[in-house]
Amino acid sequence: MEFKENSLLYEDYQRLRESVEWLNFSEEQTREALKNSCYSVTAVEENQVIGMGRLVGDGLYYTIVDIVVKPSCQHRGIGNKIIDKIVEYVDTNTPQGGRSSIQLIAEKGKEAFYAGKGFKLIPHEFCGSGMRKIILK
């Protein structure tokens, strides 16, 4: 297996989201989002993308999005490696004396996975509840 950086293609993105029964976005939105991601990781096996993770951010705050491993390839440490590479990217790009904040929204039932990677459940002593709003057209 090979992990590639910043090579996530639209077709692989759509296919992986479909593999875990997530709704896809419009092609125009998706292509723009992929172009504007600050970092992405793909797991490739036998010339097929079987996992992905994407990071958006501004250098202070980052959000991990789209962590997907094809169901038939799960429980092999692929998701762990993808998260490790994303966190390493943020660490490398945080200057001495600086700090960065990484957020994510875990899929229901996956919270323990992220807690095991050092993420804290919200709310906690410093943060209130995470929130989101969806706009449909």
Side-chain angles (χ1 to χ4, degrees):
M1 176 168 336
E2 178 183 9
F3 290 88
K4 295 183 178 182
E5 299 176 318
N6 300 318
S7 63
L8 181 56
L9 300 175
Y10 167 78
E11 295 77 16
D12 294 322
Y13 177 89
Q14 296 287 90
R15 185 178 44 75
L16 283 171
R17 286 183 63 92
E18 289 170 4
S19 79
V20 293
E21 299 179 358
W22 288 359
L23 296 176
N24 275 313
F25 297 92
S26 75
E27 182 173 346
E28 179 183 356
Q29 281 180 290
T30 302
R31 289 188 185 280
E32 188 69 16
L34 294 175
K35 184 174 73 174
N36 291 324
S37 301
C38 62
Y39 182 73
S40 67
V41 178
T42 53
V44 180
E45 187 172 72
E46 297 178 10
N47 294 319
Q48 183 179 21
V49 175
I50 60 169
M52 69 175 175
R54 205 165 59 84
L55 184 71
V56 295
D58 62 8
L60 301 176
Y61 294 94
Y62 295 90
T63 303
I64 296 175
V65 293
D66 300 321
I67 301 296
V68 178
V69 175
K70 187 176 162 183
S72 63
C73 300
Q74 292 177 2
H75 308 290
R76 293 175 35 198
I78 298 166
N80 273 305
K81 183 71 171 174
I82 289 170
I83 291 293
D84 290 346
K85 290 185 83 52
I86 290 172
V87 171
E88 180 182 317
Y89 171 87
V90 174
D91 181 61
T92 298
N93 287 282
T94 302
Q96 287 295 358
R99 75 180 181 123
S100 298
S101 178
I102 307 172
Q103 286 82 224
L104 60 83
I105 297 174
E107 282 293 302
K108 196 150 190 78
K110 302 292 185 183
E111 297 87 352
F113 168 77
Y114 293 105
K117 303 302 286 174
F119 289 85
K120 290 185 177 184
L121 286 173
I122 297 173
H124 59 72
E125 64 274 17
F126 300 112
C127 296
S129 298
M131 302 173 80
R132 75 176 186 175
K133 180 176 183 168
I134 304 289
I135 296 174
L136 297 172
K137 288 190 173 185

